[in-house]
Amino acid sequence: MFFHIVLERNMQLHPRFFGRNLRDNLVSKLMKDVEGTCSGRHGFVVAVTGIENIGKGLIRDGTGFVTFPVKYQCVVFRPFKGEILEAVVTMVNKMGFFAEAGPVQIFVSNHLIPDDMEFQSGDMPNYTTSDGSVKIQKDSEVRLKIIGTRVDATEIFCIGTIKDDFLGVINDPTTI
Amino acid sequence: MSGEEEENAAELKIGDEFLKAKCLMNCEVALILEHKYEQLQHTSEDPMNQVSQVFEKSLQYVKRFSRYKNPDAVRQVREILSRYQLAEFELCVLGNLCPETVEEAIAMVPSIKTRGRSHDDDAIEKMLNDLSLIKKFE
């Protein structure tokens, strides 16, 4: 789910940026530093949307750098266990398939794909029901439920399932 | 990590910080990101090089999965859903997935049926009807 939250960061600024454009420099450095990063707690920082407040700068001894506490608003994407969302299938193999929901990757193992769907290999590997009516392949859109998340320093990785009511393919690329 | 372990969106356990935060539906994120992208186009030659991969992927994703395109409709969806005493998170899941039946809505957002809240099936059905009307007249 996407959220709009306020975060705080201590920004170090080199003295050459001081002057009339100090604030602009600070804001553009903030965007460069935080946009695209990911933390386990807040998820992926997608975009900075505004500055709430810039605190008083503190001159560091010895270097002349100044640290400013900056409070900023941003859009983050944070997946949660138990959340249901839509995703695009990016890769299918006999172990299951990978899907993407925005910046996050979700793996759905073949144990969590309904039992009546069989893996079919070939140049377009896919999972298909025995009557051929439902097919999961690259670029399919699926609705899935996140059942686990793994967080490391710079990435969040999710495990999902489509073995539940109202989950599964919502749109097959071959039929449009 | 103990807080992490108990996380479960189905029971609305998403941590205090996110529970109080403002949730955004995909269509709202699309409006925000497209606006930001347009601003970048004015200031730089090659905006796609300026943005992070996370931004690019998110923009593609929300464009693909936005149920409502027009800003007025997006505003109406939020307004209508906010009449039903939903948590922010629940509101956005409903707005994103647009369930068609009461059964589906409860499967998508199990928490609307728990905690002794006042949502009976009729209220949920009315809410879904209101939502589908916006889609129809968009």
Side-chain angles (χ1 to χ4, degrees):
Chain A
M1 178 67 67
F2 289 94
F3 293 86
H4 198 210
I5 57 173
V6 176
L7 293 177
E8 191 166 358
R9 182 182 175 86
N10 284 322
M11 297 286 304
Q12 284 217 28
L13 203 64
H14 191 276
R16 73 164 170 272
F17 296 115
F18 298 168
R20 264 195 320 170
N21 297 329
L22 192 145
R23 194 189 155 92
D24 292 346
N25 287 326
L26 206 55
V27 173
S28 60
K29 185 171 185 323
L30 175 77
M31 289 183 178
K32 213 182 248 166
D33 282 4
V34 300
E35 286 184 357
T37 61
C38 172
S39 75
R41 189 156 157 221
H42 296 114
F44 296 87
V45 179
V46 180
V48 175
T49 55
I51 305 294
E52 287 256 300
N53 152 48
I54 299 178
K56 281 205 172 109
L58 191 75
I59 303 174
R60 316 289 298 183
D61 282 345
T63 60
F65 273 90
V66 171
T67 313
F68 293 93
V70 182
K71 270 193 178 170
Y72 58 98
Q73 301 156 340
C74 57
V75 176
V76 297
F77 183 85
R78 169 77 152 85
F80 288 96
K81 211 169 134 179
E83 182 182 344
I84 294 170
L85 44 72
E86 292 162 330
V88 183
V89 175
T90 52
M91 190 176 77
V92 179
N93 61 34
K94 68 176 196 302
M95 315 287 283
F97 66 84
F98 286 89
E100 258 178 19
V104 73
Q105 270 222 338
I106 302 156
F107 177 67
V108 179
S109 139
N110 59 10
H111 299 291
L112 298 170
I113 296 172
D115 295 326
D116 63 339
M117 298 192 87
E118 284 281 333
F119 178 69
Q120 320 275 333
S121 56
D123 46 338
M124 200 63 170
N126 61 74
Y127 283 87
T128 314
T129 51
S130 49
D131 61 356
S133 61
V134 183
K135 193 187 246 184
I136 297 175
Q137 60 187 33
K138 192 173 184 305
D139 273 334
S140 295
E141 293 176 359
V142 291
R143 184 192 273 176
L144 50 82
K145 179 154 95 185
I146 296 173
I147 53 168
T149 56
R150 195 196 69 206
V151 175
D152 56 40
T154 57
E155 208 168 12
I156 299 179
F157 187 78
C158 295
I159 302 293
T161 178
I162 56 167
K163 214 177 184 176
D164 213 336
D165 295 344
F166 301 104
L167 302 181
V169 180
I170 44 179
N171 176 351
D172 185 341
T174 53
T175 57
I176 22 174
Chain B
M1 284 299 276
S2 64
E4 204 87 7
E5 230 93 77
E6 287 164 18
E7 178 176 287
N8 186 354
E11 295 164 21
L12 215 58
K13 288 184 187 153
I14 55 174
D16 239 14
E17 193 175 4
F18 283 105
L19 204 51
K20 286 182 196 141
K22 189 167 169 63
C23 253
L24 297 170
M25 288 182 276
N26 290 343
C27 46
E28 294 172 314
V29 178
L31 294 177
I32 295 173
L33 297 189
E34 271 170 358
H35 177 73
K36 188 163 169 123
Y37 189 70
E38 270 170 31
Q39 279 184 328
L40 274 176
Q41 272 176 326
H42 289 301
T43 54
S44 96
E45 294 277 297
D46 186 11
M48 257 313 161
N49 259 337
Q50 290 275 310
V51 299
S52 64
Q53 208 194 0
V54 170
F55 184 98
E56 197 185 321
K57 281 191 168 170
S58 302
L59 181 59
Q60 276 171 11
Y61 174 71
V62 293
K63 271 178 158 170
R64 186 159 181 173
F65 291 101
S66 280
R67 298 291 174 145
Y68 309 92
K69 306 277 184 247
N70 137 9
D72 286 330
V74 175
R75 214 170 302 131
Q76 274 180 30
V77 171
R78 184 169 276 278
E79 195 200 304
I80 284 179
L81 285 174
S82 58
R83 289 181 203 153
Y84 292 88
Q85 289 100 42
L86 298 163
E88 280 271 320
F89 187 84
E90 297 168 333
L91 188 156
C92 291
V93 173
L94 290 173
N96 280 346
L97 301 176
C98 289
E100 279 161 14
T101 62
V102 175
E103 216 186 348
E104 188 183 359
I106 295 169
M108 296 301 106
V109 194
S111 54
I112 53 176
K113 266 295 196 189
T114 54
R115 295 194 289 148
R117 292 165 66 179
S118 56
H119 295 113
D120 51 25
D121 289 359
D122 292 342
I124 298 172
E125 179 138 27
K126 180 164 186 314
M127 175 167 76
L128 300 180
N129 266 334
D130 291 351
L131 269 188
S132 62
L133 276 182
I134 303 179
K135 183 83 199 145
K136 213 179 278 173
F137 290 113
E138 193 184 10

